[in-house]
Amino acid sequence: MRIFNTMTRQKQEFVPIEPGKVGIYVCGPTVYDFIHIGNARPMIVFDTLRRYLMHRGYEVNYVSNFTDVDDKIIKRANEEGVPAEQISEKYIAECRKDMEALNVLPATTHPQATKEIPDMISLVQTLIDKDHAYEKNGTVYFRTRSFSGYGKLSHKNIDELESGHRDAAHQLKVSGEDEKEDPLDFVLWKPKKEGEPCWQSPWSEGRPGWHLECSCMSAKYIGGTLDIHAGGEDLIFPHHENEIAQSEAAHDQTFANYWMHNAFLKINGEKMAKSLGNFFTVRDITAKVDPMVVRFFMLSVHYRRALNFSEELVADAGTSLERIRNCFEKLTERAQEGSPLAPGEEEKKKEADLLLTKFDAAMDDDLNTADAISAVFEFVRAVNASLAEGISGELAGIYRDALANVMEDVLGVKLAREVELPSEEIEQLIAERTEARKAKNFARADEIRKLLLEKGIVLEDTREGVKWKRA
Ligand code: AMP
Ligand code: ZN
């Protein structure tokens, strides 16, 4: 397989450190709210990478963190008057539900920053001992210029970065960081402010900087050198650059052999982001659209290309997926008939091998899911033609298995239409419908009734309230 490595800006043949095994670290979300569908892009893309590597016979150790100590979490906790932990635990649980809906496999390990503090403290100590870090008034900074490779991932020149910071002297004073030896230095440990979660350390009661957690947890759960480190492209600088500096300065070995970054999910040409307010949560979208359609939509474009989001584009993806599902359904029905391979069908079995060959070739080319899906459509066209002529149950079974293999096992898009809505989701939609009716938003109320009906749920308005049953 060839992977585009952000570090070398080239597609390179993937060679794991240990034959047959792959260690992948993916930067996970900061858990202060429901995740939006932009956050879901790296989750789906790198889950697909993981599934593909498994399909090629690798044993994959997949580690993805939850950032559970952060300014945004603390702010939210203060707003709601609850401990920060309550916010992070709640949104970790919600994020796991969204991942499950999107058929994203749970990571081998999902470490949480707050549970790894002693290891982070010892990493900071190592960096101080090696003169790569220093303490000032309870804050520990990384001495950026002490690491000669700084800027190699983002292809930034350290002197240009410095000049970018030059008129920042004033800014530093404002932020209280004028104690830094150099404006390029970044925080490894910071003292607590009133009302913030904190831990004892040799320097102050405080908390770790954001970059530190990934350096620490990747080494702990994967090892000194990662095969692949991944995340969204906004993380290249400074987050990943700082992770490299910390890890390589501490361990004197390459931090990661391959760096993969997904491009943004955009809306009206702009990055979808909480801070811009132009986001849709996964929860909102999947209440309206089959999560498998959302997943299929995400994979319809190569991960290094920007992906525009609109409800129409998702609906188009839904129509395309329907074509594959129809074919799958017909194959399933035919396969149940169980008739043996007919004379002359031996040759036709090759169609299934051809699908696999083309699919794998596309995925081998830097995880080109767009081309892989084209190969699936080519197969579906050929199969539909064969079905029209009539094929044996055995051949239908072979085709069906091939389709399930690439679509379900690798792309993670379930083809069967069973999707039964869980009761709590039904109740939630009914409550939303009742609210909509109260607000005289009858269009939305009807939309919800229709949506439920499509999922086989029938509503009955009674004097005691709304009752529902599965049709
Ligand atoms: P955050 O919670 O902001 O740290 O983001 C979690 C992950 O989602 C990171 O890998 C980000 O790069 C990624 N991400 C955030 N917004 C987008 C977006 N609009 N498109 C693609 N990836 C995103
Ligand atoms: Zn990270």
Side-chain angles (χ1 to χ4, degrees):
M1 178 181 198
R2 276 150 49 90
I3 288 178
F4 182 89
N5 187 351
T6 310
M7 181 70 83
T8 59
R9 289 179 163 165
Q10 274 171 2
K11 280 188 200 170
Q12 285 172 258
E13 191 57 37
F14 175 65
V15 183
I17 298 163
E18 208 181 314
K21 294 191 174 171
V22 188
I24 306 179
Y25 186 89
V26 183
C27 296
T30 307
V31 281
Y32 66 104
D33 206 340
F34 287 95
I35 56 162
H36 62 68
I37 51 171
N39 301 133
R41 190 170 193 196
M43 285 180 185
I44 292 172
V45 162
F46 299 116
D47 176 64
T48 304
L49 170 71
R50 174 191 190 178
R51 287 166 178 271
Y52 182 63
L53 290 168
M54 282 158 60
H55 162 84
R56 297 305 297 246
Y58 288 103
E59 191 184 308
V60 183
N61 179 12
Y62 191 94
V63 179
S64 189
N65 64 314
F66 286 119
T67 297
D68 63 349
V69 56
D70 173 89
D71 289 343
K72 291 179 209 135
I73 301 172
I74 296 168
K75 182 167 173 273
R76 179 91 189 233
N78 290 342
E79 279 163 13
E80 295 190 14
V82 296
E85 199 186 340
Q86 199 170 318
I87 297 291
S88 56
E89 288 303 324
K90 173 178 174 190
Y91 290 110
I92 287 172
E94 298 296 356
C95 179
R96 284 178 184 274
K97 282 191 216 161
D98 288 334
M99 285 169 61
E100 195 185 339
L102 294 168
N103 205 18
V104 170
L105 299 170
T108 316
T109 313
H110 275 293
Q112 287 173 234
T114 58
K115 301 200 170 138
E116 310 286 344
I117 303 286
D119 289 286
M120 285 195 246
I121 290 175
S122 85
L123 180 55
V124 174
Q125 191 58 57
T126 304
L127 290 168
I128 294 177
D129 293 346
K130 294 180 86 173
D131 256 1
H132 286 296
Y134 57 94
E135 184 259 344
K136 284 273 172 76
N137 303 320
T139 304
V140 182
Y141 295 100
F142 185 86
R143 190 174 275 127
T144 301
R145 279 192 181 271
S146 75
F147 177 65
S148 61
Y150 198 79
K152 63 182 173 178
L153 179 71
S154 51
H155 305 97
K156 287 184 195 288
N157 175 307
I158 198 159
D159 294 316
E160 282 166 22
L161 282 171
E162 184 83 67
S163 67
H165 273 279
R166 203 164 292 147
D167 53 29
H170 159 77
Q171 227 175 324
L172 287 181
K173 286 216 169 66
V174 175
S175 63
E177 288 192 344
D178 55 328
E179 60 197 10
K180 283 186 191 179
E181 288 177 2
D182 185 316
L184 286 176
D185 297 348
F186 59 89
V187 171
L188 299 174
W189 184 268
K190 58 179 148 193
K192 69 165 181 186
K193 290 196 199 110
E194 198 47 43
E196 288 186 353
C198 61
W199 292 265
Q200 278 300 341
S201 82
W203 318 288
S204 59
E205 267 200 322
R207 59 186 164 108
W210 170 41
H211 315 300
L212 195 67
E213 66 180 271
C214 295
S215 282
C216 175
M217 299 187 292
S218 58
K220 179 166 174 184
Y221 293 101
I222 298 180
T225 301
L226 315 173
D227 286 300
I228 301 172
H229 193 314
E233 65 181 3
D234 53 336
L235 300 185
I236 297 172
F237 186 85
H239 184 55
H240 288 162
E241 202 69 73
N242 291 358
E243 282 186 32
I244 293 172
Q246 295 163 157
S247 294
E248 297 193 354
H251 308 308
D252 298 308
Q253 54 177 298
T254 304
F255 179 40
N257 285 339
Y258 301 84
W259 287 88
M260 294 177 79
H261 293 97
N262 65 275
F264 291 140
L265 180 109
K266 294 187 164 184
I267 186 158
N268 299 324
E270 249 185 333
K271 177 194 174 191
M272 180 176 287
K274 281 265 156 58
S275 55
L276 297 173
N278 60 353
F279 64 93
F280 289 102
T281 63
V282 168
R283 199 58 61 86
D284 285 343
I285 297 295
T286 54
K288 290 197 232 167
V289 184
D290 176 354
M292 291 301 99
V293 170
V294 177
R295 185 166 176 129
F296 187 67
F297 164 75
M298 291 274 187
L299 296 175
S300 63
V301 167
H302 186 247
Y303 75 93
R304 281 191 295 113
R305 292 185 61 176
L307 171 62
N308 277 311
F309 173 85
S310 75
E311 296 201 16
E312 293 76 40
L313 289 170
V314 175
D316 290 348
T319 311
S320 300
L321 181 58
E322 252 336 79
R323 275 166 52 210
I324 301 174
R325 283 180 160 167
N326 284 338
C327 177
F328 183 73
E329 199 166 54
K330 279 188 266 173
L331 288 172
T332 305
E333 277 167 23
R334 185 69 55 88
Q336 274 159 3
E337 289 167 15
S339 52
L341 217 58
E345 280 192 338
E346 200 57 46
E347 192 59 23
K348 284 189 148 185
K349 275 180 17 186
K350 287 203 186 123
E351 206 65 56
D353 298 333
L354 195 63
L355 165 67
L356 220 59
T357 309
K358 286 190 179 166
F359 181 89
D360 285 0
M363 296 293 272
D364 273 344
D365 183 15
D366 191 30
L367 203 76
N368 196 332
T369 53
D371 283 359
I373 289 172
S374 299
V376 173
F377 279 115
E378 228 177 279
F379 175 74
V380 165
R381 270 193 298 278
V383 167
N384 282 341
S386 299
L387 276 166
E389 288 168 16
I391 58 172
S392 67
E394 190 175 335
L395 184 60
I398 291 167
Y399 286 167
R400 181 192 180 282
D401 291 349
L403 196 53
N405 184 214
V406 298
M407 285 296 296
E408 298 194 327
D409 302 344
V410 184
L411 298 183
V413 178
K414 294 181 202 159
L415 294 177
R417 287 199 184 86
E418 29 59 65
V419 273
E420 192 172 86
L421 219 50
S423 303
E424 8 165 346
E425 248 181 81
I426 299 173
E427 307 281 5
Q428 218 174 325
L429 280 164
I430 291 177
E432 197 190 326
R433 176 173 170 266
T434 309
E435 282 308 312
R437 292 176 81 183
K438 268 197 210 140
K440 301 219 182 313
N441 184 354
F442 296 111
R444 177 67 187 143
D446 280 345
E447 193 180 274
I448 293 172
R449 177 190 276 274
K450 215 172 113 219
L451 179 89
L452 286 168
L453 195 62
E454 272 165 14
K455 308 233 164 175
I457 309 299
V458 184
L459 300 187
E460 197 191 337
D461 291 308
T462 71
R463 226 172 284 162
E464 298 91 60
V466 184
K467 297 221 166 110
W468 62 270
K469 60 173 190 230
R470 295 190 197 270

